Amino acid sequence: MTSDTIRPFYALELLTKARALEAQGREICHLEIGEPGGKPAPRVLEAVKSCIEQPMGYTTAKGMLALRERLARYYKERHGVSVDPEHIMVTMGSSSGFILSFLAGFAPGARIAVTRPGYPAYLNILASLNFDVTEIAVNASNGWKLTAADIEAAYKQEPFAGLLLASPANPTGAVLERDELGAIIAVCDRLGIRFLSDEIYHGLNYAGTDTSALEISDRHIVINSFSKYYCMTGWRIGWLVMPDDLIRRAEIMAQSLFISASSVSQTAALAALDERAFYNEQREAYARSRLTLFDGLNQLGFGESKASDGAFYAYVDASPFTNDSMEFCMTMLEEAGVAATPGADFDRADGHKYVRFSYAGTPETVASALERMEQFLGRG
């Protein structure tokens, strides 16, 4: 495909519709957006309160040195790798991290590969920046995982300069094992492809441990965020780890594009990194909701509803009920008060058959949504 089409972010479109129904007095079960139902750790909130009486001006474009040093320690503790704090840049969420990565890492109009299905903002950001896109299809038969062979075949058909890949993935929850990620990075190195590792769902893994691309190579780009595992979506705070040849260029761009990330959010993020015990308890709540949701979707008759290994999504085949998941989701919202995201958000070719449900909210929301869907689908 070419990058000349920018489409709505349907998860947010559904959220807007759901909020309008709530304004009319309706009670809605929100399973449409990947937003944690829990709050940040108490010490994070205490750190923010301490900001109120302090001047909170701009930081450097790279972010507070204390936060970058703590992030470097995070990589040593969690992944056993040494990262220079000068190679870390604090960003306004992962969204600005993607923008800086594309602009700093590639020539104008370069072609970037992404998976299909995949996070819809990838295509829209690339289109907004006038990059070209190659979509590489993944499927349920191998757990929605991209392979080195897939990359090689797509590159042979039409070469690309970069590959952006998430593990755990949105919308499928697919998680790459270390050897699988290593094989992907190896083929990228051999073909001269810049690899961008989207690691924003790290910490939300129910089947093993997360592997960072930094464990395998320091020549590529890592994008991460405090939004998901750390329950800080609205705080808009994330980070990049960049190699020698890109970090200065990204810093210069950030100086003019964003100046700096929020000083208050950076203070909160610094506190969050020391609260993993608290957030691991949140993950256990997602793990319980995960089993409840997938079991319920199976009983309702959705296809391909095998429990995902990571993130907090169920990407399921809705073709037993519809061939138009957009209409299906709108009708389910109107009639049952359950908000879910149509697969067209993640796959513009085959997404009409799929629906993504998020179990990031409370267990009570998941249970209530399943009861309503049972009635809506006539299974009750």
Side-chain angles (χ1 to χ4, degrees):
M1 66 170 282
T2 59
S3 58
D4 58 359
T5 302
I6 301 172
R7 298 190 183 182
F9 198 160
Y10 294 120
L12 297 183
E13 298 271 299
L14 266 292
L15 175 62
T16 299
K17 177 66 174 176
R19 295 296 190 213
L21 291 174
E22 287 175 323
Q24 298 170 16
R26 294 278 302 276
E27 182 181 316
I28 305 299
C29 294
H30 289 279
L31 277 68
E32 79 278 37
I33 55 172
E35 184 163 55
K39 297 179 181 179
R43 289 184 181 176
V44 173
L45 302 180
E46 291 170 9
V48 172
K49 290 177 184 177
S50 73
C51 296
I52 295 174
E53 301 298 329
Q54 301 178 31
M56 300 300 292
Y58 298 133
T59 69
T60 65
K62 282 185 177 178
M64 293 177 177
L65 178 59
L67 177 54
R68 291 186 285 119
E69 288 177 336
R70 181 62 185 86
L71 284 165
R73 182 155 62 90
Y74 160 87
Y75 282 106
K76 190 67 173 178
E77 294 170 348
R78 301 294 304 171
H79 299 287
V81 295
S82 297
V83 176
D84 186 343
E86 292 303 315
H87 286 189
I88 297 174
M89 173 173 290
V90 182
T91 61
M92 296 168 60
S94 63
S95 300
S96 66
F98 292 129
I99 292 170
L100 288 170
S101 297
F102 296 143
L103 292 177
F106 303 96
R111 180 170 293 275
I112 312 298
V114 298
T115 59
R116 177 173 64 81
Y119 179 48
Y122 294 162
L123 296 182
N124 285 331
I125 293 172
L126 287 165
S128 298
L129 298 175
N130 294 314
F131 286 99
D132 283 327
V133 179
T134 289
E135 292 187 85
I136 307 175
V138 294
N139 55 71
S141 64
N142 74 333
W144 301 105
K145 292 184 179 184
L146 184 70
T147 68
D150 294 331
I151 298 165
E152 193 144 23
Y155 186 87
K156 184 176 181 180
Q157 185 173 352
E158 186 166 30
F160 41 88
L163 170 68
L164 172 58
L165 180 64
S167 175
N170 177 12
T172 64
V175 177
L176 294 171
E177 300 294 335
R178 182 186 175 89
D179 61 338
E180 294 169 330
L181 181 60
I184 285 171
I185 292 176
V187 77
C188 286
D189 285 342
R190 180 163 54 80
L191 296 174
I193 299 167
R194 175 84 71 179
F195 182 64
L196 299 92
S197 185
D198 179 351
E199 301 180 0
I200 72 171
Y201 291 99
H202 272 204
L204 301 175
N205 189 329
Y206 313 104
T209 58
D210 299 306
T211 301
S212 174
L214 293 169
E215 297 176 38
I216 299 164
S217 172
D218 61 1
R219 295 189 296 274
H220 301 286
I221 298 172
V222 167
I223 301 147
N224 211 323
S225 170
F226 289 89
S227 291
K228 308 300 183 178
Y229 174 77
Y230 295 99
C231 303
M232 294 172 66
T233 50
W235 299 76
R236 308 314 303 134
I237 191 76
W239 74 91
L240 294 172
V241 183
M242 295 192 124
D244 277 330
D245 62 323
L246 297 185
I247 186 63
R248 177 57 176 160
R249 178 174 171 81
E251 179 185 16
I252 292 169
M253 288 179 170
Q255 288 169 348
S256 294
L257 287 173
F258 308 110
I259 301 181
S260 68
S262 160
S263 301
V264 175
S265 293
Q266 290 188 59
T267 300
L270 181 59
L273 287 164
D274 288 325
E275 298 300 313
R276 291 191 68 88
F278 175 89
Y279 292 111
N280 285 342
E281 290 182 10
Q282 303 275 57
R283 182 185 60 206
E284 293 310 307
Y286 304 143
R288 292 189 293 272
S289 293
R290 163 181 174 261
L291 297 178
T292 300
L293 179 60
F294 278 98
D295 182 60
L297 293 174
N298 269 314
Q299 292 185 33
L300 289 172
F302 286 91
E304 297 175 358
S305 48
K306 177 181 178 293
S308 57
D309 288 338
F312 33 50
Y313 304 115
Y315 190 66
V316 294
D317 181 2
S319 61
F321 309 108
T322 184
N323 196 41
D324 184 347
S325 62
M326 178 70 74
E327 181 183 24
F328 178 83
C329 287
M330 284 295 185
T331 303
M332 185 168 64
L333 175 59
E334 289 275 3
E335 296 184 6
V338 175
T341 305
D345 229 1
F346 315 101
D347 184 341
R348 297 178 181 182
D350 299 314
H352 61 281
K353 299 186 295 185
Y354 288 88
V355 174
R356 188 197 74 175
F357 296 93
S358 168
Y359 51 90
T362 65
E364 293 77 16
T365 297
V366 171
S368 179
L370 287 170
E371 291 177 3
R372 295 183 185 198
M373 289 167 63
E374 187 177 36
Q375 296 298 317
F376 172 69
L377 296 171
R379 302 298 174 101

